[in-house]
């Protein structure tokens, strides 16, 4: 019986999340009401309030789940930007898998009505890992690595937005390979010059 309840809860939360993603593609989170969301997904308001206190708490919960996935990914696939494909490729591929599995909400979060504060938190989490490892190998006064990293990161975010919104979406493996090549070429070329 508990499994049936869990399945129902998961299904309801998935419906609410999909509805929120659709609404966020049209309007700001500030403009979305609980009434509008429950009408969008055809459930009762009381069902919504069984799971969330309001729209903001629901968005925070959804973002928290995504953040947890990425945090676990960083723990499972430690990034070493000074190593090559063995280190970063599996991480990049898993990032694209997470994005693909959460496509609807990721499109909404990265879109014009999205939550850039959340995107910035993910960027900061990854940056702390990567930049820390790079700074060990580089002279302390070399800030150029921060600029090179920002260049790669912003390029990746733009590529992800384009990929997620594409009608004929390439596979996660294809996107991981392309991303890895672009980042690898940029960082290795930069590091070769910086370490001379």
């Amino acid at each position: 019986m508990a499994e049936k309840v869990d399945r129902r809860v998961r299904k309801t939360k998935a419906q609410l999340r999909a509805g929120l993603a659709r609404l966020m593609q049209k309007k700001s989170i500030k403009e979305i009401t609980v009434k509008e969301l429950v009408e969008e997904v055809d459930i009762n308001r009381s069902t919504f309030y069984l799971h969330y206190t309001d729209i903001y708490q629901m968005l925070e919960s959804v973002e928290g789940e995504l953040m947890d996935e990425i945090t676990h990914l960083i723990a499972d696939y430690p990034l070493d930007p000074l190593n090559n494909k063995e280190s970063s490729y599996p991480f990049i591929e898993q990032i694209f898998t997470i994005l693909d599995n959460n496509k609807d909400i990721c499109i909404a979060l990265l879109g014009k009505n999205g939550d850039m504060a959340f995107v910035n938190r993910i960027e900061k989490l990854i940056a702390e890992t990567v930049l820390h490892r790079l700074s060990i190998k580089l002279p302390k006064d070399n800030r150029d690595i921060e600029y090179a990293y920002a260049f790669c990161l912003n390029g990746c975010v733009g590529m992800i937005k384009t990929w997620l919104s594409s009608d004929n979406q390439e596979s996660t493996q294809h996107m991981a390979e392309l991303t890895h090549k672009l980042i690898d070429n940029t960082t290795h070329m930069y590091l070769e010059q910086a370490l001379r």
Side-chain angles (χ1 to χ4, degrees), residues 23 47 107 142:
L23 291 172
T47 304
I107 289 171
N142 190 335

Side-chain angles (χ1 to χ4, degrees), residues 2-111:
E3 187 182 325
K4 194 172 188 176
V5 171
D6 286 346
R7 195 177 317 145
R8 251 188 261 152
V9 168
R10 283 196 306 272
K11 185 179 176 195
T12 300
K13 285 186 170 186
Q15 285 177 283
L16 286 167
R17 186 172 129 150
L20 182 64
R22 285 192 300 274
L23 291 172
M24 282 179 69
Q25 289 178 43
K26 299 175 199 166
K27 56 174 69 176
S28 156
I29 191 75
K30 296 175 199 159
E31 301 171 298
I32 300 171
T33 64
V34 172
K35 181 179 186 292
E36 185 178 21
L37 176 58
V38 297
E39 285 175 1
E40 174 76 20
V41 297
D42 196 27
I43 65 168
N44 296 322
R45 281 173 73 108
S46 57
T47 304
F48 174 89
Y49 288 116
L50 282 174
H51 307 292
Y52 307 107
T53 55
D54 58 26
I55 292 289
Y56 295 103
Q57 193 266 325
M58 179 188 169
L59 180 61
E60 189 179 308
S61 173
V62 169
E63 289 176 347
E65 290 169 12
L66 278 172
M67 196 68 161
D68 286 347
E69 276 191 74
I70 292 167
T71 302
H72 286 108
L73 184 62
I74 289 170
D76 292 345
Y77 297 90
L79 288 172
D80 184 355
L82 300 170
N83 193 355
N84 44 16
K85 193 166 184 165
E86 294 77 36
S87 168
S88 59
Y89 179 80
F91 174 81
I92 294 169
E93 186 176 17
Q94 290 303 313
I95 282 281
F96 276 99
T97 300
I98 289 171
L99 292 167
D100 195 40
N101 291 342
N102 297 281
K103 183 178 178 177
D104 58 346
I105 200 67
C106 288
I107 289 171
L109 290 170
L110 291 168

Side-chain angles (χ1 to χ4, degrees), residues 90-147:
F91 174 81
I92 294 169
E93 186 176 17
Q94 290 303 313
I95 282 281
F96 276 99
T97 300
I98 289 171
L99 292 167
D100 195 40
N101 291 342
N102 297 281
K103 183 178 178 177
D104 58 346
I105 200 67
C106 288
I107 289 171
L109 290 170
L110 291 168
K112 64 179 179 160
N113 299 311
D115 184 358
M116 289 320 292
F118 172 69
V119 175
N120 292 338
R121 279 183 17 230
I122 290 177
E123 288 176 353
K124 186 176 181 214
L125 177 68
I126 295 171
E128 285 169 354
T129 307
V130 174
L131 290 176
H132 172 71
R133 294 205 172 113
L134 284 173
S135 67
I136 293 167
K137 292 279 187 184
L138 295 172
K140 296 290 179 225
D141 60 347
N142 190 335
R143 286 188 29 111
D144 285 355
I145 191 63
E146 291 178 39
Y147 298 122

Side-chain angles (χ1 to χ4, degrees), residues 149-161:
Y149 176 79
F151 176 81
C152 288
L153 186 64
N154 286 296
C156 287
V157 170
M159 192 165 54
I160 287 166
K161 284 181 182 181

